[in-house]
Amino acid sequence: MPKRSYTAEEYRDEVAALLPPLPVTPLPLADCLGLVLAEDVVAGVSLPPFDNSAMDGYAVRAADVAAAPVTLPVADDIPAGRVDVRPLEPGTVHRIMTGAPLPPGADSIVQVELTDAGTTNVLVNEAVVAGKHIRRAGEDVVVGDTVLRAGTVLGPPQLGLAAAVGLGTLPVRRPPRVLVLSTGSELVAAGEPLPPGHIYESNSVLIAAAVREIGGHATVLRFVPDDVDKFRAVIAEHAPGADLLITSGGVSAGAYEVVKDALTGQGVEFVRVSIQPGGPQGFGSVDGLPVLTLPGNPVSAALSFELFIRPALLGALGHGVVSRPRAKARTTAAMSSPEGRTQYRRGRHDDGMVAVVPVGGPGSHLLSSFAASNCLIEIPLGVAEVAEGAEVDLILLD
């Protein structure tokens, strides 16, 4: 039975345990950017696959141009992609383009800049050594080489290499399919008229963007009023095929906490985490669907995603490193923190990580402060006061 109060570290472990590794599936290269390779990749072809020219110029025998300047007849043209390449006869040259197959008998390339660029006869102005400007077959990769290891995060160079060895798909951890649901009868979509007593909804935009940033697929569900039956109906409608439901709002101790009312006794445990902001949290599963419930204040929701959900999703995707980088700097202002909690203040560090400026106050509604920050200042449990100039721990967001 889950306990009712957690440290940040304990709750991070609970959330991570809720999200198992995602299934492995082959995806087209265009869909693999930022995902994690699930299996080693072995080359089925060598790179280059054949000896070819590294320059636009002329395929020659080095001995034939040793006495340069010398004029030689151009016996053939070899564009890239040609397959019927004739052998190079002594005392002749073949004009050749970059990437074109090296003709049998040639042992070097004279780049066009060292010639008069002739097409019938060519004046070669400088001698070259054997092997000059030739890319040898297998110089980069040999058939059977392991070119990408399981656990590799796939960026542009890795995807380019996969394509170069002829792979159109790669085995990766499938991107998580995440449902994002904000609750509250007072919520209005951005861009719509704002009636009295209402606020623009921002949490689903923020959370969905954070899911997509790490390679997940986010589906934002329509706003759900403070109605338990409607809340449950929306979940039931969209749950099939989803990997995670993230809700925001409705988890505190108020009289109209729809998320808590709807999910209590359904497999979700509502707890306190000893952090500020973001103390009230919920985790569990409903009919096999993992559920994480976040507080409704925007900074609380954003911070909760950063601390708990982001690392759990990265772990499920197969990333070896799931935490943001950390650093230390000296604060330019004094700060206080409540007893019994780890406080996360928003801040902006300088380029040298020498100083950090607290941005805004500790309030969970100060979203503009979060947007202006590039780090979180972590004030640990048991520290009530931080003096100006004291060294503090940073979680880097940029």
Side-chain angles (χ1 to χ4, degrees):
M1 186 75 174
K3 62 181 183 177
R4 284 288 179 175
S5 180
Y6 291 83
T7 66
E9 293 76 16
E10 290 170 339
Y11 193 65
R12 187 179 299 118
D13 291 342
E14 292 285 357
V15 174
L18 191 64
L19 299 177
L22 289 153
V24 177
T25 187
L27 288 182
L29 298 187
D31 296 333
C32 289
L33 182 64
L35 299 181
V36 178
L37 189 65
E39 302 167 5
D40 289 351
V41 170
V42 175
V45 298
S46 293
L47 294 180
F50 49 84
D51 292 350
N52 67 87
S53 176
M55 293 283 178
D56 292 336
Y58 297 85
V60 303
R61 295 172 185 265
D64 289 340
V65 297
V70 61
T71 299
L72 297 170
V74 179
D76 203 357
D77 265 333
I78 311 175
R82 182 172 171 181
V83 295
D84 58 336
V85 178
R86 295 188 298 159
L88 177 68
E89 299 297 335
T92 69
V93 303
H94 289 180
R95 192 168 69 148
I96 194 168
M97 301 298 115
T98 301
L102 187 72
D107 61 12
S108 56
I109 304 294
V110 176
Q111 65 194 83
V112 68
E113 291 84 355
L114 301 181
T115 73
D116 66 354
T119 56
T120 302
N121 296 287
V122 63
L123 172 63
V124 177
N125 292 308
E126 292 185 21
V128 293
V129 297
K132 188 71 171 177
H133 299 316
I134 294 175
R135 302 166 176 161
R136 294 297 182 186
E139 185 178 305
D140 187 16
V141 172
V142 175
V143 172
D145 282 353
T146 299
V147 291
L148 294 170
R149 296 283 181 184
T152 299
V153 180
L154 297 168
Q158 292 76 29
L159 296 176
L161 176 57
V165 297
L167 296 173
T169 64
L170 286 173
V172 294
R173 296 282 175 189
R174 174 179 58 71
R177 298 182 289 247
V178 180
L179 304 176
V180 180
L181 175 61
S182 290
T183 63
S185 300
E186 78 280 12
L187 300 178
V188 176
E192 298 295 325
L194 189 65
H198 289 66
I199 60 172
Y200 285 121
E201 197 280 328
S202 60
N203 285 358
S204 67
V205 174
L206 187 155
I207 294 167
V211 169
R212 295 178 185 125
E213 184 181 41
I214 61 172
H217 298 318
T219 299
V220 176
L221 305 183
R222 65 181 183 270
F223 305 151
V224 177
D226 294 327
D227 182 294
V228 168
D229 291 337
K230 289 182 179 179
F231 179 87
R232 289 175 174 167
V234 168
I235 293 178
E237 178 185 353
H238 294 90
D243 299 302
L244 174 65
L245 168 66
I246 302 173
T247 71
S248 65
V251 296
S252 295
Y256 301 101
E257 305 297 343
V258 63
V259 175
K260 183 179 286 188
D261 293 342
L263 298 181
T264 295
Q266 305 297 310
V268 176
E269 182 76 9
F270 293 91
V271 301
R272 298 288 303 183
V273 181
S274 55
I275 61 173
Q276 185 195 51
Q281 303 278 341
F283 72 102
S285 62
V286 175
D287 296 329
L289 174 65
V291 177
L292 293 168
T293 70
L294 309 183
N297 280 319
V299 176
S300 296
L303 180 67
S304 299
F305 187 94
E306 275 294 329
L307 294 180
F308 309 126
I309 302 178
R310 184 179 188 274
L313 286 175
L314 288 174
L317 277 164
H319 286 264
V321 177
V322 300
S323 298
R324 295 276 197 183
R326 286 178 170 259
K328 291 182 180 293
R330 295 196 177 276
T331 178
T332 63
M335 295 175 288
S336 61
S337 180
E339 182 179 355
R341 299 189 192 181
T342 300
Q343 187 182 66
Y344 294 90
R345 296 285 292 268
R346 279 67 71 195
R348 189 156 193 89
H349 65 76
D350 59 17
D351 291 339
M353 301 291 175
V354 175
V356 60
V357 179
V359 179
S364 59
H365 62 295
L366 303 175
L367 186 56
S368 64
S369 299
F370 203 106
S373 300
N374 61 9
C375 64
L376 297 171
I377 304 169
E378 183 180 71
I379 304 176
L381 283 167
V383 177
E385 300 292 335
V386 177
E388 179 181 346
E391 187 175 72
V392 292
D393 291 314
L394 307 182
I395 299 173
L396 307 182
L397 302 178
D398 56 350

